[in-house]
Amino acid sequence: VEYQVCVCPLVRTLAGAVEAQDEGPIPWFSVELNTTVGLDWVLPEGITFRVGVRALNRGQLWSATAWSEGWLVDRSEPILRPVYDVPETWISASTAFQTRLLLQEVGVRSTWSPIKAFWEPAEDPESGILRYEVAVGSMPGKSDLMRSGAFLSVGLATEATIPSETLAVASAWTTLIQNAAPDMATYFVSVRAVNNIGLAGVVSSNGVFLDVLAPNTTDAVVLDGADPAVDARWTTSSHSLAASWFGFFDAHSGLSHFEVGWGTEPGLDDV
């Protein structure tokens, strides 16, 4: 005579079994003899629901309830964690976790290939993480420095090395450097976490500054001798040398350190 439908949550019994309750957010209601139904109802997130269907015959006897396999309500993106730019020599997180990661994180590079990054696992308590996708771009969340222009799937790995054949051609990087302000030629590694519903969220690293120019030595001066105001022409010592210098600068990433050598000719360090 009619069908009745309900929507009920799955619950775990004391014995550990999972079964549907007969009571839920959508109680039993008649659909007459229709065999399809559409429901407009806001169900709570993070709970698995089943549709129950029972039939009433002309003798006013109800059938046993048939249950659907059920579906999990998930309307939220994955919870994202930080992404770190790491050097090529970085040891995998499986052997050295991020206790020293911040000390190893790359801030400046003179070349863009290959690029390596590590990220902490995302979380999705409702449907779980399906995969991660990674990309390199000129801004957080972009993939314009990938040869395909798209994110690259890495499965469930939480680190990736992006080789040169996957990155954009050299001219794209040259354009990035030439068009950027002196302190803004930066690339970002972005990671997209996709859950089993298909919802995704993106998080990016804090960026790596590309400095492909050597320090400027146009006004650099190196003085022989211990007196920084005098350029010595001779010395009486055969076992001790001294020098001072000034005028070196780097407008892009700044100076890291100086290296000194003595030689019998300019440019040599044969002493």
Side-chain angles (χ1 to χ4, degrees), residues 20-242:
Q21 296 178 315
D22 281 340
E23 296 181 0
I26 304 179
W28 291 105
F29 66 97
S30 174
V31 294
E32 298 179 344
L33 291 177
N34 294 307
T35 56
T36 60
V37 64
L39 302 174
D40 185 11
W41 203 276
V42 178
L43 297 172
E45 192 172 5
I47 300 176
T48 299
F49 292 92
R50 281 185 172 182
V51 175
V53 179
R54 63 187 182 185
L56 179 68
N57 65 15
R58 296 183 184 279
Q60 299 300 302
L61 298 175
W62 288 103
S63 70
T65 301
W67 295 100
S68 69
E69 290 295 325
W71 75 94
L72 178 68
V73 179
D74 185 358
R75 293 186 292 270
S76 60
E77 298 176 355
I79 302 170
L80 303 172
R81 303 300 184 200
V83 177
Y84 302 98
D85 303 293
V86 292
E88 299 171 45
T89 56
W90 181 71
I91 302 174
S92 172
S94 60
T95 56
F97 198 55
Q98 66 258 36
T99 53
R100 296 185 299 275
L101 187 57
L102 292 178
L103 296 177
Q104 299 186 52
E105 189 177 12
V106 176
V108 179
R109 291 188 67 181
S110 59
T111 180
W112 54 80
S113 177
I115 291 174
K116 190 167 187 177
F118 162 79
W119 54 94
E120 298 181 45
E123 296 180 14
D124 193 285
E126 291 82 22
S127 63
I129 301 299
L130 175 63
R131 69 179 182 274
Y132 296 104
E133 299 169 351
V134 63
V136 182
S138 58
M139 295 181 64
K142 295 189 67 173
S143 58
D144 57 325
L145 294 176
M146 300 291 287
R147 186 161 302 193
S148 65
F151 278 70
L152 174 69
S153 175
V154 294
L156 290 174
T158 55
E159 60 183 84
T161 299
I162 306 173
S164 57
E165 59 267 23
T166 306
L167 296 169
V169 295
S171 60
W173 292 87
T174 302
T175 300
L176 169 68
I177 296 168
Q178 291 177 342
N179 292 346
D183 59 346
M184 293 298 290
T186 305
Y187 70 78
F188 300 84
V189 177
S190 297
V191 175
R192 182 161 59 197
V194 184
N195 67 15
N196 282 284
I197 301 296
L199 300 174
V202 178
V203 63
S204 301
S205 69
N206 59 6
V208 175
F209 171 62
L210 285 173
D211 187 355
V212 297
L213 300 176
N216 191 301
T217 59
T218 301
D219 298 320
V221 176
V222 179
L223 301 176
D224 296 303
D227 188 343
V230 178
D231 187 14
R233 304 296 295 172
W234 57 82
T235 180
T236 59
S237 174
S238 60
H239 61 274
S240 178
L241 297 173

